[in-house]
């Protein structure tokens, strides 16, 4: 038998002789309401047909989360597989899916980042959750999420099973499938006799033994407004630039940065999260901004010199009070999620302005804090500029970490 979760033992032949073989099942078309709901979830964080890239960014293209969906007021739930475009659910629950109202659950899987970036990957997984949470709130958040939904039997079951797999429930939203929407093609519902729709990895389970206690899930809902519509419309065009050069004119970057700050101050509290600090560092000297030295910038970006030529860096920072704590606290984790949301707001405002943009997690925080003249912890950067053709080393490098 394979090694038990949490038990350190040498790898044996029985552990490696074959991959896990899934239980049998059948595949059928999605009911109309579910198909409409899934189309909107896919638009928020799924794959784009034209590029094979996903709608939300991720450090190293790890995408350390998954989404589950459940009919509102019913105990069934299924796992959404965006890559194979199917929903895996229990055969016995098939009749429960003829609904127009659904709850979806954003579950963090930090191991998917940590296997590449080590313990710092836990921070990246929370930033990625923030990116996904904003997109879902903009595109697939139809109603406020009540305390009843957060404490429902399905939510508790998903949280419990996620914890057993080294993950945590970090976001909950409500989506209506009865709205006018072109149903996606190629999606199926795969009914299985397996007892669980969560695939347990014993190695991932070991990681769970030293993960910090998770924060409360974010209620994924934002009231509609013009700014939210602009951000939502920008999702389809958002790309992470592989290389950046300075802009001819500093005005577009300055306007996008100020709009980012304004929207962060408005939208992040609406999601029940603390607002991090946001500063702008530019190569241009207009409006009193500091002029960056390219050599310094290259040292301050770990393994990502192709981004050193960016015109503007949006610096997301906050005072973290966990330095002497035994474990990363839930409040700090919520703040990091908020930093990810701020980063996604920066992404979408830059995209709306027609600028090249990318997020940067591989940084020397102390150098950036010194440049910004702050005693805060610098948690995340978003770079703006003229996008150039290339491929991010962060996604393609084989050395792990940032190289």
């Amino acid at each position: 038998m394979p090694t038990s979760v949490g038990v350190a033992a040498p790898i044996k032949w029985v552990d490696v002789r074959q991959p896990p073989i899934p239980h049998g099942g059948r595949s059928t078309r999605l009911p109309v309401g579910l198909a409409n709901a899934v189309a909107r979830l896919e638009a928020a964080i799924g794959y784009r047909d034209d590029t094979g890239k996903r709608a939300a960014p991720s450090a190293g293209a790890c995408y350390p989360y998954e989404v589950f969906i459940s009919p509102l007021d019913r105990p069934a739930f299924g796992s959404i597989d965006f890559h194979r475009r199917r929903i895996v659910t229990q055969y016995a629950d098939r009749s429960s899916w003829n609904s127009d109202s659904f709850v979806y659950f954003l579950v963090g899987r930090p191991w998917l980042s940590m296997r590449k970036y080590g313990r710092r990957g836990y921070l990246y997984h929370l930033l990625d959750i923030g990116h996904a949470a904003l997109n879902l709130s903009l595109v697939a958040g139809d109603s406020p999420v009540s305390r009843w939904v957060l404490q429902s039997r399905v939510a508790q079951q998903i949280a419990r099973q996620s914890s057993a797999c080294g993950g945590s429930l970090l976001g909950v939203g409500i989506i209506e499938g009865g709205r006018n929407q072109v149903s996606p093609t190629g999606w199926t519902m795969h009914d299985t006799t397996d007892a669980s729709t969560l695939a347990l990895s014993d190695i991932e389970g070991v990681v769970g033994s030293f993960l910090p206690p998770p924060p409360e899930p974010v209620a994924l809902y934002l009231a509609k407004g013009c700014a939210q519509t602009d951000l939502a419309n920008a999702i389809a065009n958002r790309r992470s630039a592989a290389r950046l050069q300075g802009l001819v004119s500093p005005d577009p970057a300055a306007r996008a940065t100020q709009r980012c700050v304004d929207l962060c101050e408005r939208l992040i509290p609406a999601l029940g999260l603390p607002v991090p600090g946001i500063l702008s560092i530019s190569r241009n000297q207009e409006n009193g901004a500091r002029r960056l030295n390219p050599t310094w910038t290259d040292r301050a970006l770990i393994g990502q010199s192709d981004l050193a030529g960016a015109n503007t860096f949006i610096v997301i920072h906050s005072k973290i009070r966990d330095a002497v704590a035994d474990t990363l606290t839930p409040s700090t984790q919520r703040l990091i999620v908020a930093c990810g949301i701020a980063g996604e707001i920066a992404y979408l405002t830059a995209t709306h302005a027609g600028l090249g943009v990318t997020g940067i997690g591989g940084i020397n925080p102390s150098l950036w804090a010194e440049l910004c003249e702050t005693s805060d912890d610098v948690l995340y950067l978003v770079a703006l500029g003229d996008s150039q053709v290339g491929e991010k080393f962060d996604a393609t490098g084989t050395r792990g970490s940032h190289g």
Side-chain angles (χ1 to χ4, degrees):
M1 295 294 292
T3 304
S4 300
V5 172
V7 177
I11 295 175
K12 301 187 286 280
W13 167 243
V14 70
D15 297 323
V16 301
R17 64 179 181 175
Q18 68 182 29
I21 299 176
H23 291 257
R26 63 168 186 167
S27 295
T28 56
R29 295 181 61 183
L30 304 185
V32 174
L34 180 60
N36 291 340
V38 167
R40 293 169 60 199
L41 293 170
E42 187 173 38
I45 61 172
Y47 287 89
R48 298 187 179 104
D49 291 335
D50 58 337
T51 65
K53 304 290 187 179
R54 290 185 63 162
S58 171
C62 294
Y63 294 99
Y65 52 80
E66 57 189 331
V67 179
F68 296 86
I69 192 167
S70 171
L72 190 63
D73 299 331
R74 300 183 190 180
F77 71 92
S79 170
I80 301 178
D81 185 338
F82 288 105
H83 184 72
R84 289 178 287 188
R85 306 190 85 194
R86 69 180 188 176
I87 297 177
V88 181
T89 186
Q90 305 269 332
Y91 176 81
D93 296 333
R94 189 63 176 83
S95 61
S96 300
W97 292 93
N98 293 316
S99 176
D100 283 335
S101 300
F102 301 90
V103 185
Y104 61 90
F105 305 88
L106 181 62
V107 172
R109 298 285 293 273
W111 159 248
L112 299 179
S113 285
M114 295 173 71
R115 63 186 178 181
K116 178 166 185 168
Y117 297 108
R119 294 196 176 210
R120 184 166 170 83
Y122 193 82
L123 178 139
Y124 295 157
H125 119 276
L126 293 174
L127 292 175
D128 284 355
I129 286 289
H131 285 292
L134 180 71
N135 283 13
L136 289 166
S137 300
L138 292 170
V139 175
D142 290 334
S143 304
V145 180
S146 67
R147 176 59 57 179
W148 174 85
V149 170
L150 294 172
Q151 296 177 343
S152 67
R153 174 184 166 188
V154 171
Q156 292 178 1
Q157 184 178 359
I158 290 175
R160 195 163 49 246
Q161 292 191 35
S162 300
S163 178
C165 294
S168 54
L169 176 58
L170 295 175
V172 179
I174 296 176
I175 186 169
E176 300 294 336
R179 299 188 175 188
N180 294 331
Q181 174 76 40
V182 177
S183 296
T185 58
W187 276 85
T188 60
M189 174 170 280
H190 185 77
D191 304 320
T192 177
T193 57
D194 196 356
S196 171
T197 56
L198 283 169
L200 176 62
S201 159
D202 60 342
I203 304 298
E204 188 173 3
V206 170
V207 173
S209 65
F210 57 81
L211 294 180
E216 289 291 317
V218 179
L220 303 174
Y221 171 76
L222 287 170
K224 300 300 181 283
C226 294
Q228 289 87 315
T229 299
D230 288 343
L231 292 178
N233 290 339
I235 291 173
N237 297 318
R238 183 214 61 80
R239 301 290 187 273
S240 291
R243 299 180 63 191
L244 289 170
Q245 291 183 356
L247 301 170
V248 175
S249 169
D251 294 339
R255 288 194 297 268
T257 301
Q258 185 56 53
R259 182 165 175 77
C260 171
V261 172
D262 295 342
L263 290 176
C264 285
E265 292 176 349
R266 187 195 316 172
L267 299 182
I268 294 177
L271 291 168
L273 295 169
V275 182
I278 300 175
L279 292 171
S280 172
I281 301 296
S282 174
R283 291 187 182 282
N284 301 286
Q285 293 180 309
E286 287 82 353
N287 302 320
R290 297 175 181 84
R291 187 174 182 84
L292 297 182
N293 181 310
T295 302
W296 179 95
T297 309
D298 190 44
R299 288 191 295 112
L301 303 176
I302 301 175
Q304 299 179 84
S305 58
D306 283 349
L307 304 176
N311 171 272
T312 299
F313 293 92
I314 296 175
V315 184
I316 303 172
H317 62 96
S318 188
K319 178 67 70 177
I320 302 297
R321 306 188 185 280
D322 282 9
V324 297
D326 292 331
T327 187
L328 197 63
T329 61
S331 60
T332 291
Q333 293 177 66
R334 286 175 65 83
L335 177 58
I336 298 170
V337 172
C339 290
I341 292 173
E344 185 68 354
I345 291 173
Y347 257 106
L348 298 180
T349 52
T351 299
H352 183 71
L355 306 177
V357 57
T358 195
I360 309 174
I363 60 175
N364 185 323
S366 61
L367 288 180
W368 288 98
E370 181 181 358
L371 180 69
C372 295
E373 298 179 352
T374 178
S375 61
D376 284 0
D377 295 276
V378 174
L379 301 170
Y380 196 21
L381 295 183
V382 178
L384 311 182
D386 182 17
S387 181
Q388 304 291 305
V389 176
E391 192 71 31
K392 291 186 73 174
F393 176 81
D394 194 36
T396 61
T398 58
R399 292 180 58 191
S401 189
H402 295 283

